[in-house]
Amino acid sequence: MERVVRRTRALVALTLLASALAACGGEGDTSRPTLNWYNFPDDSGALQKAADRCGKESGGRYRISYNKLPRAADGQRQQLVRRLAAEDDSLDILGLDVTWAAEFAEARWIREWTGGDRRRATEGTLRVPLRTATWKGKLYAVPYNTNVQLLWYRKDLVPHPPTTWAEMLDMSRALARQGKPHYAEIQGAQYEGLTVWFNSLLNSAGGTILNPSATAPSLGPPAVRAASIMRDLANSPAADPSLPNQMEDQNRLAMESGVAAFEINYPFVYPSMKANNPKLFKNFRWAPYPRVDAGRPAHPTIGGIDLAVSAYSRHPDLAFEAALCLRDRENQLTAALEGGLPPTLRALYDEPAFRKEYPFSQEVLSSLESAGVRPLTPAYQNVSIVVSHTLSPPSAIRPESAVRTIGDQIDQALRSEGVIP
């Protein structure tokens, strides 16, 4: 009998201990909602730190699980589209490429930001990144990080950077005649980077791919000018022989190898050059994106990630709150310093720690404030495919006919008559 009593007491004690652990939020705690955050794969650890910090600061009301999407943007979009189309309620916070908000909003896969959430999302946020998260005057995401290309060059080859594309080609020709490194590295492969190149040139020439209402192609003479610059570079000494197959990372590697004088790329190339070629790094400099016309500012195309809340989330109120935390000042600063992701909060560009790590921060900020955006349309994937396929390879571009082809095929895509990627 005494043995039975002792056993009963032991069971009661174990039950009480388990209850106490659960009340303290132990691993077995199932009462606290888990918010699933799907975003690009970050190797720096900054995103995981943000998820852990926000879960801790929620006071036990939620935890955040950071789920890594595929590395390629197409793979990221494909996974999200398939799961949202199936009304998967295990998705809460979505890291969207800056070209996806219109498509996802039109499909009613993401929720609109309203009231206090919208006010907190827009307060202190750079204007152009907010445009990428807006569709038909409504905000559907909050800018998490942004990005923009600069001109990178070797000071030992060109003491003063070119300010226009024509000037850069002239410098490249002069260096080639002297037998010096002279390539101008740029993204020429048949993918999104080629569309970004065209869009940046087109915006800088005073034009756009679509009209303001995104109902028809715009293009016109500025598009012909943009296509002509692409063709001219591809057929000049500035062109790397691998141009038709090059993406951002191939450009970085070519610059680090010492064969190039110029590079159009994102800021990630700076710490990479510092780590991989310290000798060349001493002469590695930056400048604003080249202009098309000397008297007209350049408008490089903006990149980055926006955070949206899934329409099928079981915890939408918590998801909005968590998304705001994930992109708050502390987490954006960590992402910038550890992950190399330019912030979307204007005040961080005056932060001493950020300016020290990003000596080119003011050039980035200036570029962001005058940046262009890619067409805001649910049919963007079709539009991008049309552009990149028509302009590949750059050396074979026939500007007038290429622009006509792009216009005709975009018109079909907007009327849902084109191919669906």
Side-chain angles (χ1 to χ4, degrees), residues 30 79 84 94 112 126 136 151 217 235 254 279 326 341 387:
T30 58
Q79 181 178 139
L84 290 166
L94 314 176
E112 180 188 355
L126 291 168
K136 294 182 177 179
L151 167 65
N235 290 288
K279 183 178 179 180
L326 289 170
L341 304 176
V387 172

Side-chain angles (χ1 to χ4, degrees), residues 99-103 135 210 214-215 374-381 383 414:
T99 63
W100 300 344
E103 176 188 7
W135 175 239
L210 300 183
T215 56
R374 280 164 277 185
L376 300 176
T377 169
Y380 178 76
Q381 296 302 314
V383 170
L414 294 176

Side-chain angles (χ1 to χ4, degrees), residues 203-385:
N203 290 170
S204 299
T208 57
I209 292 178
L210 300 183
N211 64 11
S213 60
T215 56
S218 177
L219 300 170
V224 175
R225 184 84 184 281
S228 298
I229 291 173
M230 297 172 76
R231 177 204 58 192
D232 291 348
L233 186 148
N235 290 288
S236 77
D240 189 305
S242 300
L243 173 66
N245 300 308
Q246 284 196 316
M247 300 183 186
E248 290 88 350
D249 211 43
Q250 286 79 28
N251 300 145
R252 173 188 67 83
L253 292 171
M255 192 74 179
E256 290 176 1
S257 74
V259 300
F262 310 100
E263 175 184 15
I264 302 294
N265 219 326
Y266 297 97
F268 80 99
V269 301
Y270 182 80
S272 181
M273 178 68 82
K274 185 176 182 179
N276 297 335
N277 194 332
K279 183 178 179 180
L280 194 57
F281 177 75
K282 295 177 182 179
N283 287 298
F284 195 49
R285 298 293 186 270
W286 58 89
Y289 195 91
R291 298 182 175 198
V292 169
D293 299 304
R296 191 198 309 265
H299 299 291
T301 301
I302 198 171
I305 295 293
D306 299 331
L307 300 183
V309 173
S310 168
Y312 308 110
S313 171
R314 289 169 290 179
H315 311 286
D317 291 341
L318 292 178
F320 278 113
E321 178 185 331
L324 287 169
C325 178
L326 289 170
R327 58 89 64 178
D328 70 8
R329 180 186 178 89
E330 182 174 338
N331 286 328
Q332 284 208 38
L333 183 59
T334 299
L337 298 181
E338 298 183 14
L341 304 176
T344 58
L345 293 173
R346 170 63 182 84
L348 284 177
Y349 288 86
D350 297 324
E351 178 71 33
F354 178 69
R355 298 186 72 160
K356 180 180 179 181
E357 190 73 17
Y358 277 66
F360 42 85
S361 62
Q362 296 311 297
E363 285 82 1
V364 170
L365 176 60
S366 178
S367 295
L368 289 171
E369 290 177 333
S370 62
V373 299
R374 280 164 277 185
L376 300 176
T377 169
Y380 178 76
Q381 296 302 314
N382 288 7
V383 170
S384 180
I385 287 175

Side-chain angles (χ1 to χ4, degrees), residues 12-29:
V12 169
L14 287 172
T15 301
L16 290 174
L17 177 61
S19 299
L21 288 173
C24 292
E27 292 299 322
D29 180 14

Side-chain angles (χ1 to χ4, degrees), residues 33-322:
T34 294
L35 302 177
N36 285 303
W37 176 27
Y38 285 83
N39 212 337
F40 66 88
D42 166 52
D43 298 325
S44 73
L47 271 67
Q48 186 62 58
K49 286 182 180 178
D52 294 343
R53 172 178 166 262
C54 289
K56 183 178 180 180
E57 293 186 357
S58 74
R61 290 182 301 111
Y62 62 78
R63 62 165 61 89
I64 300 176
S65 176
Y66 164 45
N67 301 272
K68 296 183 179 182
L69 291 167
R71 289 199 176 273
D74 288 347
Q76 295 171 18
R77 175 180 169 274
Q78 186 178 62
Q79 181 178 139
L80 292 178
V81 165
R82 287 178 174 176
R83 296 180 65 174
L84 290 166
E87 301 184 7
D88 187 341
D89 64 4
S90 68
L91 281 69
D92 297 292
I93 304 168
L94 314 176
L96 305 183
D97 185 277
V98 291
T99 63
W100 300 344
E103 176 188 7
F104 282 45
E106 195 71 12
R108 299 182 180 178
W109 289 334
I110 52 179
R111 296 172 182 265
E112 180 188 355
W113 288 66
T114 60
D117 290 330
R118 179 188 174 105
R119 178 182 56 78
R120 287 187 288 274
T122 57
E123 190 173 27
T125 301
L126 291 168
R127 175 184 57 84
V128 179
L130 279 171
R131 286 182 57 197
T132 70
T134 303
W135 175 239
K136 294 182 177 179
K138 298 179 179 180
L139 187 69
Y140 283 97
V142 57
Y144 173 66
N145 73 272
T146 188
N147 224 337
V148 70
Q149 293 185 325
L150 298 176
L151 167 65
W152 305 86
Y153 68 99
R154 284 179 53 175
K155 190 177 180 180
D156 57 326
L157 297 174
V158 284
H160 304 288
T163 58
T164 66
W165 287 86
E167 187 179 1
M168 184 168 68
L169 293 188
D170 287 342
M171 288 183 176
S172 176
R173 294 185 184 100
L175 290 169
R177 287 193 296 268
Q178 299 170 44
K180 295 181 179 179
H182 55 274
Y183 294 147
E185 301 295 334
I186 185 71
Q187 299 81 52
Q190 190 184 97
Y191 80 118
E192 181 66 16
L194 191 62
T195 301
V196 167
W197 184 15
F198 175 70
N199 189 68
S200 296
L201 291 171
L202 174 54
N203 290 170
S204 299
T208 57
I209 292 178
L210 300 183
N211 64 11
S213 60
T215 56
S218 177
L219 300 170
V224 175
R225 184 84 184 281
S228 298
I229 291 173
M230 297 172 76
R231 177 204 58 192
D232 291 348
L233 186 148
N235 290 288
S236 77
D240 189 305
S242 300
L243 173 66
N245 300 308
Q246 284 196 316
M247 300 183 186
E248 290 88 350
D249 211 43
Q250 286 79 28
N251 300 145
R252 173 188 67 83
L253 292 171
M255 192 74 179
E256 290 176 1
S257 74
V259 300
F262 310 100
E263 175 184 15
I264 302 294
N265 219 326
Y266 297 97
F268 80 99
V269 301
Y270 182 80
S272 181
M273 178 68 82
K274 185 176 182 179
N276 297 335
N277 194 332
K279 183 178 179 180
L280 194 57
F281 177 75
K282 295 177 182 179
N283 287 298
F284 195 49
R285 298 293 186 270
W286 58 89
Y289 195 91
R291 298 182 175 198
V292 169
D293 299 304
R296 191 198 309 265
H299 299 291
T301 301
I302 198 171
I305 295 293
D306 299 331
L307 300 183
V309 173
S310 168
Y312 308 110
S313 171
R314 289 169 290 179
H315 311 286
D317 291 341
L318 292 178
F320 278 113
E321 178 185 331

